[in-house]
Amino acid sequence: MKQQFSHADVQPSPAPLSSPVAFPSLSDRFLHTRRLSRDLVAELNEADTAVQSMPDASPAKWHLAHTTWFFETFLLRDHVPGYRLHDGRWPFLFNSYYEAEGERLARPERGLLTRPTMAEVLAYRDHVEEALTAALPALLERHGDLVELGIQHEQQHQELLLTDIKHLFSRNPLGPAYAISSLAPSGRSAPLRWIEGAEGLSEIGAGPGATFAFDNELPRHPAWLPRHALANRPVTNAEWIEFIADQGYGTAALWLSDGWDWVRRETVAAPLYWRGGGREWEQFTLSGWQPVDPEAPVTHISFYEADAFASWAGARLPTEQEWEAAAAPRDSSGGVQLDRAEAVAPRAEAEVDGFASLYGNVWEWTGSAYRPWPGYRPAAGAVGEYNGKFMSGQFVLRGGSCATPRGHLRASYRNFFHPHQRWQFTGLRLARSL
């Protein structure tokens, strides 16, 4: 297995692929985004939407209300004269972490909100959508950036809603399915090859022509890239099984010290949602328990696991600058991403212009700490709390996942999680220094 990850077959980067994403109007995108959130909970019962399975996750009902609170607060309350809050008690319930917005319910207690009911939350959404739709022409003239931010924010919560439901259902001994998958069976993964990346000075971060970027993607700046190569595809489940069989979880030399402590403390011996052993593994999916697909990208792994696997394979994790340089000229709307409310899962993908799954399928851990770009300035006002204050103790992931709404991604997009977290669709792509 380890021989597969040698320097052999390093190829120069092929010609870039670039195709623009055609979006409807901003108002149409707003309504489409709001409808998708409702679709995602259409088959859940009242109890499904209220329960919180761990402090990192939130109930589906809370996601629906919080994204509505965001629009109500930062657009209707602040910029529509005469608007009255739907319920003056609810900002305390549905504010997430905005200190500028005052006191709020502690995150681990969101699962205690049996009231308001789901029907009341949906009525709240109706109220805010109706008011926002009426005010949208004027808002788009003066505050179109905030409308766009609200859409992007809700798309993030759509992915979180799916991953949180998956975690909740995985804790149920019945192994319930969120939905029966209608996706085509996964194909064969491409043989692993190495593609030589750009070397020298490269421009990183959202450029002046970007239609949208979070403040943590700014400013655009030069970065020096040493000679390196990236794997043409993410690591597969079959390769992960080889890692397990070779005592990867039991070999301290492969692990960072914090990672080794985490493995022993949590008795980790496989990716999250896996059970079985040897060559017979199954995993919990949004369609319930299913056999592990050996060809699909491995997912639900922590940074610690990704780093240990890279060490075992004689490779390393890419830097986020290396990843962005490879992804920038390629189509961010391609790959396995969320198009409708369904039981998404990573799948093997064919290569497109040399790479498979640079966008979609699994968020790819990088070896880069989540820190600001040179010259970074947080956005003004309360929305400036959105990213900057989390730039400590976390690592960057790139590329999106099967649960990321299509159209949400771009090369400069920076996701971030703590190194032990793995309930998101997280995987890895290997890199080598040349």
Side-chain angles (χ1 to χ4, degrees):
M1 174 60 187
K2 295 181 186 180
Q3 295 176 352
Q4 182 175 350
F5 299 107
S6 70
H7 282 287
D9 298 324
V10 174
Q11 301 184 8
S13 181
L17 169 70
S18 180
S19 61
V21 180
F23 289 123
S25 69
L26 197 59
S27 58
D28 287 341
R29 286 184 53 232
F30 165 73
L31 293 173
H32 170 79
T33 300
R34 300 289 286 177
R35 282 194 299 269
L36 179 56
S37 294
R38 283 189 181 242
D39 290 346
L40 289 172
V41 300
E43 299 303 317
L44 300 179
N45 63 37
E46 182 81 23
D48 293 336
T49 67
V51 178
Q52 182 177 20
S53 57
M54 64 170 175
D56 285 339
S58 297
K61 182 170 65 176
W62 187 91
H63 285 297
L64 294 178
H66 167 70
T67 52
T68 303
W69 167 86
F70 191 95
F71 280 113
E72 182 181 51
T73 299
F74 298 122
L75 280 157
L76 295 177
R77 184 199 68 183
D78 289 354
H79 299 295
V80 176
Y83 177 79
R84 296 180 62 183
L85 295 180
H86 179 71
D87 190 315
R89 302 168 298 171
W90 288 12
F92 176 82
L93 303 181
F94 301 126
N95 177 10
S96 53
Y97 49 71
Y98 295 89
E99 297 288 347
E101 289 298 320
E103 296 295 322
R104 59 205 173 277
L105 183 71
R107 181 171 183 168
E109 297 183 2
R110 292 171 185 171
L112 301 179
L113 296 177
T114 57
R115 306 293 177 92
T117 65
M118 186 61 167
E120 289 173 308
V121 167
L122 293 177
Y124 178 37
R125 288 179 67 87
D126 287 341
H127 171 86
V128 168
E129 285 169 25
E130 181 179 349
L132 197 55
T133 300
L136 209 51
L139 288 172
L140 290 177
E141 284 187 19
R142 302 180 181 87
H143 306 289
D145 56 337
L146 282 177
V147 177
E148 181 65 58
L149 178 61
I151 292 170
Q152 299 281 339
H153 169 256
E154 183 145 355
Q155 288 177 323
Q156 289 181 318
H157 278 271
Q158 289 166 347
E159 179 161 6
L160 288 168
L161 192 155
L162 284 174
T163 54
D164 292 357
I165 280 290
K166 182 174 181 178
H167 188 268
L168 172 64
F169 283 3
S170 76
R171 302 297 303 275
N172 189 321
L174 298 178
Y178 165 78
I180 303 302
S181 177
S182 60
L183 302 174
S186 183
R188 293 292 300 273
S189 61
L192 188 136
R193 295 179 296 104
W194 296 97
I195 298 176
E196 187 168 351
E199 181 181 4
L201 202 60
S202 182
E203 289 290 314
I204 300 297
T211 57
F212 174 82
F214 289 113
D215 60 12
N216 66 354
E217 302 171 51
L218 301 168
R220 191 162 178 82
H221 62 282
W224 183 265
L225 302 181
R227 192 167 175 235
H228 68 281
L230 298 181
N232 61 317
R233 58 159 173 79
V235 169
T236 65
N237 287 322
E239 291 160 348
W240 202 271
I241 290 171
E242 293 295 328
F243 172 68
I244 296 172
D246 199 35
Q247 301 302 309
Y249 282 96
T251 305
L254 298 174
W255 294 80
L256 296 169
S257 178
D258 285 348
W260 185 242
D261 289 345
W262 172 77
V263 163
R264 292 187 298 171
R265 182 175 64 252
E266 304 294 333
T267 61
V268 177
L272 184 64
Y273 304 134
W274 282 34
R275 68 184 184 188
R279 303 289 170 178
E280 301 295 326
W281 292 92
E282 59 179 353
Q283 64 184 147
F284 189 79
T285 74
L286 285 166
S287 297
W289 286 100
Q290 301 290 335
V292 166
D293 176 2
E295 303 293 330
V298 68
T299 191
H300 298 299
I301 57 169
S302 67
F303 170 84
Y304 295 137
E305 291 167 284
D307 185 79
F309 182 96
S311 297
W312 173 79
R316 62 172 173 81
L317 298 180
T319 67
E320 61 171 320
Q321 293 90 341
E322 290 168 344
W323 189 97
E324 184 171 327
R330 290 173 167 81
D331 183 7
S332 62
S333 68
V336 181
Q337 300 181 42
L338 180 68
D339 293 304
R340 62 190 65 85
E342 60 185 345
V344 295
R347 292 176 288 155
E349 268 193 303
E351 295 175 355
V352 177
D353 201 20
F355 283 105
S357 302
L358 268 176
Y359 293 102
N361 245 338
V362 292
W363 286 102
E364 298 177 9
W365 285 107
T366 73
S368 298
Y370 180 49
R371 292 293 294 149
W373 288 144
Y376 165 77
R377 293 182 180 180
V383 295
E385 299 185 51
Y386 200 78
N387 289 303
K389 70 182 186 181
F390 300 111
M391 292 177 174
S392 174
Q394 307 198 60
F395 283 84
V396 174
L397 303 97
R398 293 298 196 115
S401 82
C402 56
T404 307
R406 196 176 304 278
H408 183 66
L409 295 172
R410 54 203 163 271
S412 58
Y413 197 107
R414 306 173 76 198
N415 200 357
F416 50 93
F417 283 100
H418 291 285
H420 69 280
Q421 292 174 312
R422 56 183 189 158
W423 92 107
Q424 297 301 304
F425 286 102
T426 50
L428 78 154
R429 181 185 304 267
L430 296 173
R432 295 293 299 265
S433 299
L434 300 179

